[in-house]
């Protein structure tokens, strides 16, 4: 198979982690006789520096002409970077929001599971001090809600008012609900739909449409949960979740929380899909400007995102499995980037601390 992918390395640690994902991809694809062509695309701060905008029309059309997009991370330090002195629609994040919208990437899948090798890094322990064992996926609606409703800021009579609007259409809710129910069918058959139906109209509509959609999936159990409760349940008993279905804003917040309980935000991959097999694959974490360029980042989330790309956009299941197995093997052989080292110095001393580039190589060698 010939794979044509667009690559957005982006800002901060983006270029470093993408290089490692490419290393691993090339290894597995070569082994199975496939070839891959990368089309580099600028987005975020690096695009602002070159072209004055966070995403050019040309970048969008290159991405559209490929079968998938692999992305690192975008953005910088909001307190010090000149990018954040620009108006909001010209900042790095606007590029990401635009590409999601333009490519119709409404379904954001963010799996969060505990690697047994990292169980000690999980900040939660059960009542007996034993590590947890959870495996969930957040299905986040990605092109609607509070992120894409009208917004403005105005000053009148000395009072400044800012307004953001949350908008959801039943059609948008139904299609993401279907994604969640389909995912649950392939997993443990449970969907927890998360909303704020005790306050918001968009959430009341959400709940109604999800309940209607559930009738098409009698084999899947549906449960509703308020978002504040969900935030609490995630740290109390993450094992109870299989598929968490939620809107754009709540999904953003809950997915950071879910990733942290796995031990490190550096482990969590994500896929953003449209109605076809086209997708954009990126780690759930950000651009970590504080460690950028130092070869200290954890490339695993990006490597696992590349595995998701093979799975969802190219249906290369075996190749994806091999990447995931190689990640597990590197961890069980004791390789850790700095973020994965246990706090206890004795435990840390028994492991191999590696840099970003070494982690990529160690994983590639295990394929
Ligand atoms: C994410 C990020 C983005 C989001 C930012 C960078 C706009 O936090 O992918 O979760 O809020 O969606
Ligand atoms: Mg986020």
């Amino acid at each position: 198979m010939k794979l044509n992918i667009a690559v957005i390395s982006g800002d901060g640690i983006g270029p470093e982690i993408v290089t490692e994902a490419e290393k691993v991809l090339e290894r597995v694809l070569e082994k199975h006789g496939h070839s891959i062509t990368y089309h580099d695309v600028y987005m975020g701060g690096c695009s602002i520096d070159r072209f004055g905008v966070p995403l050019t029309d040309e970048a969008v059309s290159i991405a559209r002409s490929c079968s998938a997009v692999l992305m690192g991370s975008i953005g910088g330090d909001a307190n010090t970077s000149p990018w954040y002195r620009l108006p909001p629609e010209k900042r790095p994040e606007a590029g990401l929001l635009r590409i999601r919208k333009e490519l119709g990437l409404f379904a954001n899948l963010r799996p969060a599971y505990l690697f047994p090798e990292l169980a000690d890094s999980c900040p939660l322990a059960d009542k007996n001090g034993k590590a947890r064992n959870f495996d969930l996926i957040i299905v986040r609606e990605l092109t609607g809600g509070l992120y894409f409703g009208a917004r403005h800021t105005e000053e009148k009579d000395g009072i400044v008012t800012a307004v953001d609007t949350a908008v959801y259409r039943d059609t948008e809710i139904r299609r993401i609900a279907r994604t969640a129910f389909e995912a649950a069918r392939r997993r443990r058959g449970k969907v927890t739909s998360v909303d704020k139906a005790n306050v918001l109209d968009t959430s009341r509509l959400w709940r109604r449409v999800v309940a209607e959609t559930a009738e098409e999936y009698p084999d899947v159990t549906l449960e509703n949960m308020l978002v504040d409760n969900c935030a609490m349940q995630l740290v109390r008993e993450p094992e109870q979740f299989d598929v968490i279905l939620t809107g754009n804003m709540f999904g953003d917040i809950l997915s950071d929380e879910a990733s942290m309980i796995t031990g490190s935000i550096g482990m969590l991959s994500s896929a953003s899909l449209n109605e076809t097999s086209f997708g954009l694959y990126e780690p759930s974490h950000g651009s970590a400007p504080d460690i950028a360029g130092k070869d200290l980042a954890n490339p695993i989330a990006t490597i696992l995102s590349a595995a998701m790309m093979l799975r969802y956009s190219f249906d290369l299941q075996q190749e994806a499995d091999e990447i995931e197995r190689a990640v597990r093997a590197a961890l069980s052989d004791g390789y850790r980037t700095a973020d994965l080292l246990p706090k206890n110095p004795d435990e840390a001393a028994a492991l191999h601390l590696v840099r970003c580039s070494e982690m990529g190589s160690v994983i590639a060698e295990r394929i």
Side-chain angles (χ1 to χ4, degrees):
M1 180 186 270
K2 280 189 167 47
L3 291 77
N4 254 319
I5 68 165
V7 177
I8 300 174
S9 295
D11 309 316
I13 58 171
E16 301 160 58
I17 54 183
V18 165
T19 301
E20 300 317 306
E22 290 179 345
K23 198 187 268 179
V24 173
L25 266 178
E26 282 154 28
R27 177 80 168 215
V28 77
L29 292 174
E30 195 181 319
K31 180 175 166 190
H32 291 269
H34 307 297
S35 69
I36 186 160
T37 309
Y38 303 122
H39 303 267
D40 288 314
V41 171
Y42 287 91
M43 189 173 90
C46 58
S47 174
I48 297 173
D49 292 345
R50 278 193 155 226
F51 309 114
V53 287
L55 185 70
T56 62
D57 294 344
E58 200 203 342
V60 176
S61 67
I62 294 174
R64 215 189 281 283
S65 71
C66 293
S67 306
V69 183
L70 180 66
M71 187 189 136
S73 52
I74 53 132
D77 182 334
N79 295 315
T80 57
S81 165
W83 302 328
Y84 295 90
R85 291 198 287 273
L86 296 167
E89 66 283 3
K90 296 217 160 122
R91 294 181 193 165
E93 287 73 10
L96 181 58
L97 298 183
R98 180 174 164 214
I99 202 165
R100 286 174 178 169
K101 192 73 172 178
E102 293 236 1
L103 301 177
L105 308 174
F106 69 91
N108 184 212
L109 313 184
R110 297 190 159 176
Y113 48 89
L114 195 62
F115 283 80
E117 294 80 8
L118 297 180
D120 292 339
S121 313
C122 172
L124 313 173
D126 70 10
K127 290 187 208 73
N128 310 313
K130 252 186 69 220
R132 322 285 317 209
N133 179 23
F134 58 88
D135 178 356
L136 60 91
I137 185 165
I138 296 183
V139 175
R140 168 189 178 196
E141 199 292 324
L142 202 59
T143 51
L146 206 41
Y147 273 60
F148 290 95
R151 66 180 100 257
H152 72 274
T153 304
E154 66 182 18
E155 184 171 352
K156 215 176 151 201
D157 305 329
I159 294 175
V160 186
T161 307
V163 181
D164 294 290
T165 347
V167 184
Y168 265 120
R169 292 174 190 81
D170 59 353
T171 45
E172 290 171 301
I173 301 168
R174 200 165 293 114
R175 71 176 176 181
I176 192 70
R178 290 204 174 108
T179 305
F181 285 107
E182 296 288 342
R185 257 190 187 159
R186 293 188 299 269
R187 295 172 49 99
R188 301 193 305 280
K190 179 177 170 190
V191 170
T192 305
S193 174
V194 174
D195 60 38
K196 189 70 186 172
N198 53 349
V199 178
L200 304 175
D201 260 23
T202 42
S203 284
R204 286 186 271 266
L205 178 64
W206 184 277
R207 209 172 261 221
R208 199 181 85 211
V209 174
V210 171
E212 284 164 14
T213 313
E215 289 171 18
E216 300 165 25
Y217 299 87
D219 49 325
V220 176
T221 309
L222 169 66
E223 163 190 87
N224 293 296
M225 193 177 277
L226 296 172
V227 61
D228 46 352
N229 185 27
C230 181
M232 179 187 67
Q233 296 298 337
L234 268 174
V235 291
R236 199 183 74 92
E237 198 198 332
E239 297 84 345
Q240 70 185 284
F241 297 109
D242 179 17
V243 177
I244 293 179
L245 161 65
T246 192
N248 207 344
M249 183 81 250
F250 299 153
D252 178 47
I253 299 166
L254 295 175
S255 62
D256 267 29
E257 187 186 0
S259 70
M260 197 56 224
I261 59 173
T262 69
S264 170
I265 195 168
M267 299 296 295
L268 270 281
S269 54
S270 87
S272 305
L273 309 172
N274 71 9
E275 315 261 10
T276 70
S277 61
F278 184 92
L280 180 147
Y281 301 84
E282 55 169 323
S284 293
H285 61 71
S287 61
D290 52 324
I291 57 164
K294 298 186 180 154
D295 202 13
L296 288 177
N298 179 354
I300 293 181
T302 318
I303 292 170
L304 292 173
S305 301
M308 285 185 98
M309 176 179 85
L310 297 185
R311 219 180 264 301
Y312 290 98
S313 286
F314 299 100
D315 197 22
L316 296 175
Q317 305 299 337
Q318 191 188 337
E319 290 80 346
D321 286 346
E322 283 187 34
I323 294 182
E324 289 168 3
R325 267 204 303 274
V327 168
R328 291 279 302 272
L331 293 172
S332 67
D333 290 343
Y335 293 96
R336 299 284 187 279
T337 43
D339 56 305
L340 299 176
L341 272 192
K343 299 267 176 309
N344 178 328
D346 294 335
E347 284 171 29
L351 297 161
H352 314 296
L353 175 63
V354 289
R355 297 184 160 269
C356 176
S357 54
E358 292 166 315
M359 185 57 112
S361 302
V362 159
I363 294 169
E365 281 158 17
R366 279 160 180 71
I367 287 174

